Amino acid sequence: MVFITVLNSCDAVKRVKSNEHLITKNTIVEDDKVNKEERVNNIILQKTNSGMNSLFGFPLKLHVYNLARPNIDSIIEAKVLSDSSKVRWKTKLLSKKQFDREIEARKNFNNWLKRTGEEPVIFNEDKTEKTVINLRKYYYSKGWFDNEVTFEVDKDSNKRAEVTYKVTKNKPYFLDSLRPVISSPLIDSLYPKFIKATLLKKGEQFNAQNYEDERERINTYLRNAGFYYFGQDYIRFETDTIDTNHKVNTDLIIANRIIRTDDSSRVEPFKIFKIKEVNIFTDESFNNQDKAISDTTVYKNYNLYSKEKLRFRPKALTDAVFINKGDIYTDLARSRSLSYLNDLQMFRYPSIEYIENPEDTTLTANIYLEPRKKYALSLDVDVSQSNIQTIGFSVTPGLKIRNIFRGAETLEISGIAAIGASKDGSDDDDSFFDINEFGGNIRLTIPRLFTPFNTDRIIPKYMSPSTAINLSTTSQQNIGLDKQTLSGLLSYNWSPSRTVTNTLELFNVQFVKNLNTSNYFGVYTNSYGRLNNIAQNIGYINSDENLTIPTEADQFINDVLDGNTALTSAEEDFITVNNIDERKERLTENNLIFSTSFDYKKNKRTSIFDNDFSIFKWRVELAGNLLSNLSEIFGAPKNENGDYEVFGVVFSQYFKTEIDYVKYFDLGSNNVFAFRSYAGIAIPYGNSNSIPFAESFFAGGPNDNRAWTAYNLGPGSSNTTNEFNEANFKIHLSAEQRFSLFGDLKGALFVDAGNIWNVLDNVVDDRATFTNFNSLKDIAVGSGFGLRYDFNFFVLRFDTGFKTYDPSQNEGNRWFRNYNFRNAVYNIGINYPF
């Protein structure tokens, strides 16, 4: 800290001339109180150098700029090029070409310092006076018409200056009356309707932004009421504040339409236009622009024209259009039509043109569509590493077929072929690439709800409803327990508004078959190690022997649980063996999941540049109810454990729900505070007493609690050595302060908190179970810092997490137990964690 302070004092004014002053602080004092609002402080034209007013007060970019020489060319000329003996010596040592490159490199590095750094902000009185004018305008726009703004500059002998802007707002003005002055009779007749939602409320303080918003609101209303030629320019407000005792009287003036011709103009009242015809040109493109129409179809008052044979069923296109013959013109119908047509992903840049019919007040709507290619091929290649394989290669080919059934449907067929080398792949008896995975996926997307009944009244087409039908299968060899998976999905998607998206997975079927269960202890080596140690400790095997996998390991478990060893059920080693057996049975059993779920997502983010928004997600899932009811109805027998089976597999039955909330706060100057809260629970019942591994929760990893690696945290305060820790209840909280360092390099400070627990299932370990609110003391806390580099299309992220509060340690010794770089966890990720 002392070093930074000294460096800042010495070098900050290095490039400031003797008659100049570096601005080190700007302050706005509003009625004797400091105003720190970002919106107001952004009005200041001369802001301090970035970092000047940060926590440490260290303007990094300014110091980088100060490292550059302002006159590098003259310095090189004077110190190098003008000395012929030095030039001769260097050219002999380096060669002429290398010498020239060295000179150029010095210049380039100097220029890089200037580009990366930031010039010192020198006090300029003209810009300060302009700031005063802008502040007056701002406070005037907020209703303080009689405001007063002055400034003071405090300069010191160290070439530094602090600027203080003093604002006296005085008494504000309030809205009193709103009087309409409307020229067009048709608009005047609608005034009582559209004025009900006015933003200009009597008694509220004057705000110029409310007037702008009101203009936009009225314009939107009239554009959706049939006034095709209307625009915001026809709306203006005139205010009167003379002798009104700080009251504002407003005239709302809406003028008649101005029609301009080549040599004259005339004024007419606005008219309401209706849609006379809707024409859909289905195959417009540059290549066939000169071709004549060869195919014409009329369907439900829509005219469809094609220069070649019509590729689409008429209903597929007309369902995407919200412009109807006989309706009045609306901007909303136009925007919804374009949005729906784009969502189909069948056409390039669909466009809509309106043509006025001179004989009456009607419009002809022409919709131009340029179909994309029917077939599209893709190929993805990936190189990866994991805790199972040292290196892996995968190829994912894909084929997309558009409009496959002439109803704007999309069929996507993809496959995966992967090979990899396991950590045992170097053995002489094994081939190097001893891991493989093969699979395929078929997905059909239908741009409507595929149901036997009409759902238009419940989910109208402006919500862009769609149906997805998906089938996939994969087969893995030498990856864990070797698995075959088969899944099928029928889901419905729709968007009630711009911010809300809903997904109903009516049927989601997943079948997982483990092919190599005998290799369980070969994969879960920590469990095997504990089991082997117990066998040695009780003399089941000699201390220099190991249980063979799987025969002796399985036999030892059976002997312990059957009472054929010295262990009793009350001993800790007996309980450990029992827990290992229960986990083994759970992770090696085949899974059949037949579920229904609903997802709700509300995303208020307007664009990728929006840093002040929230995202709320909620998911609820029910699994096994249909199969359970059918089993009861048809009197299906239960197995020896009292569970129903389908095709010899016990199906899972559970309730699961998750809530996820993310909030961003834009603090200005590229500073963003981001917060995330998450909670999820999965409760087994009926045909299950535990949750399938694939549906359980885990903690840790680059997008979770970054002080622990994935699957390494929890459950609860248990200090388990399992390879994959998971449970059926999770709480997670994250807070992250993100800030700009220089250029595209950004930094972050973060705190993560959370854990997983078992609840309402077959786990009885108190340390791993959430029993009451006292279990919240087992929430783990990690903190750390990170660097992010923005490549525009993605962000490369590096985070360092430290175990701040570790619930696996003894109580009283949990805070900062291993808070050091040796025990830190280093994460590399793509994009932000939330």
Side-chain angles (χ1 to χ4, degrees):
M1 177 68 77
V2 174
F3 171 76
I4 290 176
T5 303
V6 172
L7 180 64
N8 194 26
S9 301
C10 296
D11 290 344
V13 294
K14 183 177 180 179
R15 303 297 179 200
V16 179
K17 298 176 183 178
S18 58
N19 61 334
E20 295 177 337
H21 289 80
L22 176 73
I23 297 181
T24 59
K25 188 176 182 180
N26 286 310
T27 306
I28 296 177
V29 178
E30 181 186 286
D31 291 339
D32 298 325
K33 292 182 180 180
V34 175
N35 187 325
K36 295 184 179 181
E37 291 180 33
E38 185 72 20
R39 171 67 185 88
V40 179
N41 281 268
N42 277 338
I43 297 173
I44 298 173
L45 294 179
Q46 281 193 293
K47 297 178 177 61
T48 59
N49 287 99
S50 55
M52 184 73 72
N53 297 314
S54 63
L55 180 63
F56 301 112
F58 185 72
L60 176 62
K61 288 187 177 182
L62 173 61
H63 287 293
V64 171
Y65 180 87
N66 286 341
L67 291 174
R69 298 296 186 93
N71 52 345
I72 186 66
D73 291 330
S74 58
I75 290 174
I76 292 175
E77 177 66 32
K79 292 188 176 182
V80 181
L81 299 181
S82 62
D83 189 340
S84 58
S85 61
K86 184 179 289 188
V87 172
R88 282 196 304 271
W89 175 76
K90 285 208 168 191
T91 52
K92 284 182 180 180
L93 181 66
L94 300 174
S95 83
K96 179 67 167 61
K97 190 175 183 179
Q98 289 177 326
F99 173 70
D100 292 340
R101 286 181 177 177
E102 182 198 2
I103 297 299
E104 189 65 26
R106 291 175 64 176
K107 292 180 179 179
N108 290 339
F109 179 69
N110 196 77
N111 291 334
W112 179 85
L113 290 173
K114 287 184 176 181
R115 290 195 309 270
T116 306
E118 193 176 75
E119 288 187 66
V121 180
I122 306 301
F123 172 74
N124 182 298
E125 188 161 349
D126 289 340
K127 291 183 178 180
T128 305
E129 290 177 350
K130 288 180 181 178
T131 297
V132 168
I133 294 172
N134 290 340
L135 284 169
R136 287 173 182 164
K137 290 179 179 178
Y138 170 78
Y139 284 98
Y140 184 95
S141 72
K142 296 299 182 182
W144 290 286
F145 295 166
D146 303 322
N147 72 81
E148 302 171 30
V149 182
T150 59
F151 73 90
E152 293 179 357
V153 184
D154 182 14
K155 300 177 182 179
D156 63 19
S157 58
N158 293 322
K159 298 189 290 186
R160 297 166 184 267
E162 294 184 1
V163 184
T164 302
Y165 299 91
K166 294 187 176 181
V167 179
T168 303
K169 294 185 294 186
N170 292 319
K171 188 176 180 180
Y173 282 71
F174 295 87
L175 301 184
D176 186 51
S177 64
L178 180 65
R179 184 173 69 97
V181 182
I182 302 174
S183 301
S184 299
L186 287 176
I187 295 178
D188 189 50
S189 67
L190 293 176
Y191 177 78
K193 293 183 179 180
F194 67 73
I195 204 60
K196 289 180 181 179
T198 182
L199 303 176
L200 305 179
K201 307 290 186 181
K202 182 177 180 178
E204 290 188 357
Q205 186 170 326
F206 176 90
N207 189 329
Q209 186 60 49
N210 288 342
Y211 281 79
E212 289 299 313
D213 294 342
E214 179 71 356
R215 285 182 74 221
E216 184 177 346
R217 188 193 69 82
I218 295 173
N219 178 68
T220 300
Y221 180 92
L222 295 177
R223 292 281 298 174
N224 286 314
F227 297 97
Y228 173 67
Y229 287 105
F230 193 83
Q232 280 196 36
D233 292 343
Y234 289 102
I235 305 172
R236 74 178 194 272
F237 296 97
E238 291 186 357
T239 57
D240 178 21
T241 58
I242 300 175
D243 298 328
T244 61
N245 191 24
H246 289 83
K247 301 288 180 62
V248 180
N249 298 316
T250 304
D251 287 346
L252 166 61
I253 301 172
I254 302 179
N256 276 329
R257 177 189 173 193
I258 300 174
I259 303 174
R260 293 183 174 87
T261 57
D262 293 338
D263 54 359
S264 63
S265 63
R266 66 182 189 276
V267 176
E268 289 183 359
F270 279 99
K271 299 175 183 178
I272 293 176
F273 282 79
K274 289 188 175 183
I275 306 300
K276 186 175 185 178
E277 297 287 344
V278 181
N279 302 321
I280 304 176
F281 298 90
T282 65
D283 55 0
E284 285 292 309
S285 69
F286 179 80
N287 294 331
N288 65 7
Q289 59 181 332
D290 297 326
K291 291 183 179 179
I293 300 294
S294 62
D295 190 358
T296 303
T297 303
V298 178
Y299 181 80
K300 290 186 176 180
N301 293 324
Y302 292 94
N303 305 315
L304 288 84
Y305 299 101
S306 301
K307 295 180 178 180
E308 299 174 356
K309 185 178 179 181
L310 182 60
R311 303 182 194 178
F312 299 84
R313 290 200 306 271
K315 179 176 170 55
L317 299 181
T318 58
D319 276 357
V321 177
F322 295 82
I323 305 167
N324 299 306
K325 182 177 180 179
D327 287 355
I328 63 171
Y329 167 84
T330 66
D331 274 354
L332 184 60
R334 180 181 181 276
S335 61
R336 282 178 173 174
S337 299
L338 286 174
S339 176
Y340 200 115
L341 288 167
N342 278 303
D343 287 343
L344 291 179
Q345 298 185 19
M346 294 285 140
F347 310 103
R348 291 189 182 91
Y349 314 117
S351 62
I352 300 175
E353 175 189 40
Y354 290 91
I355 299 175
E356 181 183 356
N357 299 303
E359 65 274 8
D360 52 22
T361 55
T362 62
L363 300 169
T364 297
N366 293 327
I367 302 171
Y368 300 99
L369 307 176
E370 180 184 352
R372 297 176 182 268
K373 291 182 178 180
K374 186 176 182 68
Y375 301 98
L377 293 172
S378 63
L379 181 67
D380 293 329
V381 180
D382 187 34
V383 180
S384 60
Q385 281 186 308
S386 72
N387 61 337
I388 295 175
Q389 61 183 10
T390 55
I391 190 168
F393 303 92
S394 66
V395 178
T396 307
L399 171 65
K400 178 183 286 188
I401 307 174
R402 296 184 177 92
N403 194 36
I404 186 169
F405 303 120
R406 299 185 63 240
E409 306 91 353
T410 301
L411 180 68
E412 296 174 85
I413 303 173
S414 62
I416 182 171
I419 59 173
S422 71
K423 295 184 177 180
D424 298 326
S426 58
D427 293 348
D428 294 336
D429 296 335
D430 296 329
S431 60
F432 181 74
F433 291 109
D434 59 341
I435 293 176
N436 64 72
E437 178 181 3
F438 299 95
N441 186 80
I442 300 175
R443 183 179 182 87
L444 177 65
T445 303
I446 305 170
R448 52 194 167 276
L449 296 188
F450 187 66
T451 63
F453 48 87
N454 193 329
T455 60
D456 288 348
R457 291 188 177 181
I458 303 173
I459 304 176
K461 66 179 185 178
Y462 76 81
M463 295 183 181
S464 298
S466 65
T467 303
I469 302 173
N470 196 90
L471 294 173
S472 64
T473 181
T474 59
S475 177
Q476 299 174 341
Q477 296 281 327
N478 290 325
I479 302 179
L481 303 178
D482 296 351
K483 293 184 178 181
Q484 284 183 344
T485 62
L486 179 65
S487 62
L489 172 70
L490 171 62
S491 69
Y492 301 119
N493 307 274
W494 68 96
S495 299
S497 67
R498 183 190 63 80
T499 60
V500 175
T501 302
N502 293 327
T503 300
L504 172 64
E505 292 184 355
L506 190 61
F507 300 113
N508 189 340
V509 184
Q510 302 174 61
F511 174 67
V512 180
K513 182 179 182 181
N514 294 299
L515 303 176
N516 190 16
T517 56
S518 61
N519 191 39
Y520 177 82
F521 287 117
V523 174
Y524 296 91
T525 55
N526 289 342
S527 295
Y528 170 75
R530 296 201 306 274
L531 195 70
N532 197 68
N533 288 336
I534 293 173
Q536 291 174 343
N537 292 337
I538 67 172
Y540 188 87
I541 57 175
N542 294 328
S543 59
D544 58 347
E545 294 179 345
N546 293 314
L547 297 170
T548 60
I549 299 174
T551 306
E552 291 183 356
D554 290 341
Q555 184 60 48
F556 175 63
I557 291 175
N558 293 333
D559 286 343
V560 170
L561 300 182
D562 292 341
N564 297 329
T565 67
L567 294 175
T568 62
S569 59
E571 294 183 68
E572 185 175 344
D573 284 347
F574 183 97
I575 296 172
T576 299
V577 173
N578 185 66
N579 291 339
I580 290 174
D581 181 62
E582 287 184 351
R583 192 163 190 265
K584 175 176 176 289
E585 290 298 318
R586 178 164 170 257
L587 297 184
T588 58
E589 68 180 0
N590 297 329
N591 295 129
L592 176 61
I593 304 172
F594 197 107
S595 66
T596 298
S597 66
F598 175 76
D599 287 82
Y600 172 89
K601 180 179 180 181
K602 187 169 187 178
N603 186 350
K604 293 186 176 181
R605 191 170 196 175
T606 56
S607 70
I608 60 173
F609 305 106
D610 184 6
N611 284 318
D612 198 343
F613 65 92
S614 64
I615 300 175
F616 175 78
K617 291 186 285 188
W618 174 60
R619 175 180 173 85
V620 60
E621 178 182 2
L622 282 170
N625 283 14
L626 179 60
L627 294 181
S628 179
N629 292 333
L630 290 176
S631 297
E632 289 186 11
I633 291 173
F634 291 104
K638 295 184 177 181
N639 63 15
E640 58 185 8
N641 296 320
D643 298 323
Y644 291 116
E645 294 182 350
V646 175
F647 303 122
V649 179
V650 177
F651 59 84
S652 300
Q653 190 170 8
Y654 58 85
F655 165 81
K656 184 178 183 180
T657 187
E658 300 168 82
I659 297 176
D660 195 355
Y661 178 74
V662 173
K663 174 63 180 175
Y664 278 41
F665 299 90
D666 191 345
L667 305 179
S669 301
N670 291 319
N671 284 283
V672 176
F673 179 76
F675 171 79
R676 182 194 181 198
S677 59
Y678 171 90
I681 188 170
I683 303 174
Y685 65 96
N687 214 52
S688 299
N689 58 13
S690 63
I691 298 300
F693 180 83
E695 296 295 329
S696 59
F697 303 103
F698 71 92
N703 297 323
D704 198 80
N705 198 321
R706 285 161 279 186
W708 281 263
T709 57
Y711 292 98
N712 198 37
L713 173 60
S717 61
S718 59
N719 192 10
T720 176
T721 57
N722 289 332
E723 288 82 358
F724 302 102
N725 294 311
E726 41 80 35
N728 65 327
F729 176 50
K730 178 176 181 176
I731 295 175
H732 176 74
L733 302 167
S734 278
E736 187 167 286
Q737 178 68 50
R738 301 167 185 167
F739 47 87
S740 178
L741 293 176
F742 56 87
D744 292 322
L745 184 64
K746 296 175 173 60
L749 299 173
F750 62 83
V751 177
D752 301 322
N755 208 333
I756 56 174
W757 294 267
N758 291 94
V759 59
L760 301 175
D761 62 0
N762 59 354
V763 176
V764 295
D765 185 354
D766 290 340
R767 297 171 300 175
T769 305
F770 191 96
T771 54
N772 51 49
F773 284 110
N774 288 332
S775 298
L776 294 176
K777 71 178 183 299
D778 295 333
I779 288 181
V781 179
S783 59
F785 61 90
L787 297 174
R788 293 94 166 85
Y789 192 86
D790 193 346
F791 288 93
N792 293 325
F793 52 94
F794 75 94
V795 174
L796 181 63
R797 173 167 54 92
F798 177 78
D799 288 327
T800 302
F802 301 94
K803 294 178 177 62
T804 309
Y805 178 85
D806 187 353
S808 68
Q809 303 293 332
N810 296 326
E811 288 194 46
N813 196 27
R814 294 179 173 181
W815 285 102
F816 304 103
R817 180 72 168 81
N818 293 304
Y819 200 87
N820 51 58
F821 283 98
R822 184 168 60 88
N823 292 292
V825 174
Y826 302 96
N827 300 280
I828 296 177
I830 301 297
N831 294 328
Y832 292 105
F834 57 91

